[in-house]
Amino acid sequence: YDAHVFHYIVENHIIYMCMCDDMDKRRIPFGFLDDIKGRFKATYGERAQTAIAFAMSEDFGRTMHKQMDFYNGAGADSFSQVNTKLDDVKNIMVQNIEQVLERGEKLDLLVDKTEKLQSQAFQFEQSSKELKIAMFWRRVKMYL
């Protein structure tokens, strides 16, 4: 039994016990025991105090089997589910931030290109004005 852990709850001289193979988890086994205890008390109430040992095993066995299937499944540990969803959201947020940073870099490149284009346009405008003036004086010289 070295690889297994026993969890139990004692209430009103009734012992609710389960055996688990994962030593790290305590929340799921005790959740299972709490659930079984509640269902057992709701089903049998005070009759359980005077019952013969294992007299209700056949009846309650189906409920226990159904609950074992549930608690051994992925849906039993809501904390883990929330943690997984939180990790997924975190990963999506990191991807979104990376995309925004990439867009920022692209915007920076676009701003640099725009500034360069603007300075080239200004230089073109200046040189075209100088050319216009030079052409004007050439025409004036031709007429004189």
Side-chain angles (χ1 to χ4, degrees):
Y1 297 107
D2 289 340
H4 296 86
V5 177
F6 289 92
H7 302 278
Y8 64 94
I9 296 174
V10 178
E11 188 174 295
N12 295 331
H13 305 288
I14 298 174
I15 300 171
Y16 305 91
M17 183 171 22
C18 69
M19 180 178 70
C20 301
D21 58 0
D22 193 354
M23 294 184 186
D24 296 332
K25 294 186 179 181
R26 296 175 50 97
R27 191 175 47 255
I28 294 174
F30 281 107
F32 169 74
L33 289 173
D34 245 1
D35 186 25
I36 291 298
K37 178 182 74 170
R39 289 174 188 271
F40 189 78
K41 286 169 63 174
T43 304
Y44 299 109
E46 292 299 316
R47 286 190 305 154
Q49 296 295 328
T50 58
I52 300 170
F54 303 107
M56 299 163 185
S57 291
E58 187 177 331
D59 241 6
F60 200 67
R62 288 184 290 277
T63 303
M64 286 180 56
H65 186 65
K66 186 173 83 171
Q67 292 310 107
M68 279 193 292
D69 287 343
F70 173 77
Y71 280 92
N72 284 325
D77 194 5
S78 60
F79 182 75
S80 292
Q81 286 178 339
V82 169
N83 225 2
T84 302
K85 287 180 183 178
L86 191 60
D87 285 343
D88 291 344
V89 168
K90 185 178 105 179
N91 290 336
I92 290 170
M93 291 299 294
V94 166
Q95 288 175 351
N96 288 343
I97 290 170
E98 287 174 356
Q99 288 175 351
V100 166
L101 290 175
E102 285 176 14
R103 285 185 202 142
E105 290 172 1
K106 290 178 183 177
L107 285 175
D108 287 343
L109 289 173
L110 187 61
V111 166
D112 290 343
K113 288 179 181 179
T114 304
E115 288 173 353
K116 189 174 181 180
L117 184 62
Q118 186 177 10
S119 82
Q120 288 175 347
F122 181 73
Q123 287 173 352
F124 178 75
E125 184 182 10
Q126 292 298 323
S127 62
S128 64
K129 282 182 184 178
E130 290 172 7
L131 180 62
K132 183 179 176 183
I133 292 171
M135 293 304 287
F136 172 76
W137 285 114
R138 251 193 211 172
R139 263 190 265 145
V140 169
K141 284 183 186 177
M142 275 178 93
Y143 288 118
L144 292 179

